[in-house]
Amino acid sequence: LLVVEKLRIRTPRKRKKKANPKLVGSSLEASSETSMRRCVASAFVSSIAALHAPRPGLLMRHCRKHLSLSGVASDLLPFEELPYAAASVEFETIGIDYAQNENSRSIVMDRLEASLAFWKTNNFSSVWLHIPTPQSALVADANMRFGFELHHANALKGTIVLKKWLRDDEDKVPPYPNTQIGCAGLVLSDSNEVLLVKEWSGVSPNRTPSRQWKLPGGLVDVGEGLGEAACREVFEETGVTCEFENILSFWHRHGLTFGKSDIYVVCLLRPSTSEINVDPIEISDATWMPMAEYVRTQSHPLIDRILETSFDVDVASLRSTEGSEQEARFSKGRIEPLASAQEFSVQWPGRPGYQTYISVPNQRS
């Protein structure tokens, strides 16, 4: 009720002059008396509904939304409230014509100053600024005037993202995600043939085929599942289509280019086709190799570890003259792992299911 009373007091009784939308942007959508009253009613309904909400603090979140977007505080930048009491400003939405207004940078910084005061007063923890590359001069302004720090560059949206911690305690904003995720496919046929590739080494036209056979694979695309990524990479590199079965292993290593870490997941795939059609740009050769032949003639640390641990294959024995019993396993049907991480769905009420992988023992014949 206090919020509603505050809104009522600030409601203009008479509209004298229309505000310039170039200066105040989209936050003056409710500047007329009628629109303001609608906003007051909306804030009242939202506030009453929030009183019955199970989560504490929901009332304040409803009020903040209306205060920031309704025109009550016309000098505020329009923002979206994120989890953990964060405010996010998309500078493409603030409604200022940079080409027509020579003082646009100063106007934006003044509104940012007012917004910072509002966010601090209302107990926000952090602020995020998404600045389009053509307006990158605002990066220096926000840094020098208010201490905003570079967090990351969003190549997909073409924005520079700054952040500022508002509280007096320790800055809890995590660094930009520093781990890349890749997938490989261990494509195993019913006759225990494994699909292997050789990449190119060096720069064209003097590149040469790599010496070692490896599993086809690559980086996961944005929004792509692990099994989906493994099947896509196998198809792009070899032309073989597959079905995802489960996850066999992953590694986690550090210190790659730009200081990145790397998680590389190996998926067990079942081939749907067998014809090979390699990508000549990335792959120099691909082949179906019988598993027994691979163990006797090749060596790859990751493949060897998976065979020994997941499939209980005595690699050392097969590489000696005493490997007859182990080799006989490959003629008795497709080998299966002792256990694997199979895909399940974990779901909260009202939310989409999350792909979740849980280790499950396999029944062996």
Side-chain angles (χ1 to χ4, degrees):
L1 293 177
L2 289 175
V3 173
V4 175
E5 179 66 16
K6 183 178 180 181
L7 290 172
R8 186 187 67 77
I9 293 173
R10 298 188 62 178
T11 301
R13 296 182 178 275
K14 185 176 181 181
R15 185 181 179 186
K16 296 182 178 180
K17 184 179 180 181
K18 185 177 181 181
N20 184 352
K22 292 183 179 180
L23 297 182
V24 297
S26 60
S27 62
L28 285 184
E29 294 176 358
S31 59
S32 68
E33 184 175 359
T34 301
S35 298
M36 184 65 74
R37 287 176 176 173
R38 289 177 180 173
C39 177
V40 170
S42 178
F44 176 77
V45 173
S46 297
S47 301
I48 295 301
L51 292 175
H52 300 280
R55 291 178 292 172
L58 195 57
L59 171 60
M60 180 58 72
R61 284 197 288 274
H62 277 279
C63 296
R64 286 173 189 160
K65 178 180 178 182
H66 290 284
L67 283 169
S68 60
L69 298 181
S70 67
V72 173
S74 62
D75 54 349
L76 297 185
L77 294 171
F79 69 95
E80 176 187 3
E81 184 173 354
L82 302 179
Y84 306 106
S88 177
V89 178
E90 299 280 351
F91 273 72
E92 289 183 340
T93 68
I94 65 176
I96 290 182
D97 190 337
Y98 288 85
Q100 299 295 328
N101 197 325
E102 296 180 355
N103 299 320
S104 59
R105 286 170 57 186
S106 177
I107 294 171
V108 169
M109 289 301 107
D110 289 345
R111 294 179 66 186
L112 179 56
E113 182 176 19
S115 299
L116 285 169
F118 172 82
W119 293 322
K120 289 179 180 179
T121 301
N122 288 276
N123 300 318
F124 279 75
S125 296
S126 62
V127 179
W128 300 83
L129 307 181
H130 301 259
I131 301 175
T133 304
Q135 302 165 13
S136 58
L138 295 173
V139 173
D141 294 342
N143 171 261
M144 297 178 65
R145 187 167 170 180
F146 304 113
F148 276 86
E149 299 174 333
L150 175 67
H151 190 262
H152 68 278
N154 189 328
L156 295 178
K157 293 186 176 181
T159 56
I160 303 167
V161 183
L162 308 181
K163 65 92 176 176
K164 180 177 176 63
W165 186 251
L166 299 179
R167 302 197 321 234
D168 295 330
D169 55 358
E170 179 187 356
D171 188 342
K172 300 294 181 64
V173 174
Y176 189 62
N178 56 5
T179 301
Q180 65 183 25
I181 301 178
C183 276
L186 196 156
V187 185
L188 189 63
S189 70
D190 290 336
S191 58
N192 288 316
E193 291 183 318
V194 60
L195 181 62
L196 301 172
V197 299
K198 285 186 178 182
E199 296 177 331
W200 289 107
S201 178
V203 180
S204 180
N206 299 318
R207 62 182 184 174
T208 58
S210 60
R211 296 182 178 180
Q212 193 174 47
W213 290 103
K214 64 182 288 289
L215 301 176
L219 293 178
V220 177
D221 287 342
V222 175
E224 192 174 38
L226 297 175
E228 182 183 1
C231 292
R232 175 186 55 77
E233 284 288 344
V234 169
F235 178 75
E236 289 178 355
E237 294 185 359
T238 69
V240 175
T241 59
C242 302
E243 295 179 2
F244 169 78
E245 292 192 329
N246 49 59
I247 291 177
L248 296 172
S249 70
F250 69 89
W251 73 37
H252 191 194
R253 56 179 180 161
H254 309 281
L256 277 70
T257 305
F258 306 120
K260 291 280 188 179
S261 298
D262 175 57
I263 294 177
Y264 199 63
V265 181
V266 179
C267 301
L268 180 62
L269 307 180
R270 183 181 292 272
S272 304
T273 62
S274 59
E275 182 179 356
I276 292 176
N277 183 20
V278 301
D279 174 9
I281 297 177
E282 295 187 26
I283 304 300
S284 64
D285 196 7
T287 188
W288 288 102
M289 185 176 293
M291 188 65 74
E293 179 183 343
Y294 163 81
V295 175
R296 287 195 307 268
T297 64
Q298 308 296 323
S299 178
H300 188 286
L302 179 58
I303 301 176
D304 291 354
R305 171 61 68 183
I306 292 174
L307 290 178
E308 292 170 344
T309 306
S310 295
F311 290 90
D312 194 26
V313 173
D314 190 344
V315 174
S317 176
L318 271 169
R319 286 176 179 161
S320 68
T321 56
E322 303 173 359
S324 57
E325 291 185 6
Q326 285 288 321
E327 191 168 345
R329 281 187 58 194
F330 300 131
S331 62
K332 296 179 180 180
R334 188 175 187 254
I335 60 174
E336 298 294 337
L338 300 175
S340 57
Q342 298 183 13
E343 183 177 311
F344 296 89
S345 178
V346 171
Q347 186 171 11
W348 278 262
R351 299 184 185 179
Y354 302 140
Q355 290 178 327
T356 306
Y357 301 90
I358 301 175
S359 180
V360 176
N362 293 329
Q363 295 183 350
R364 301 182 62 188
S365 56

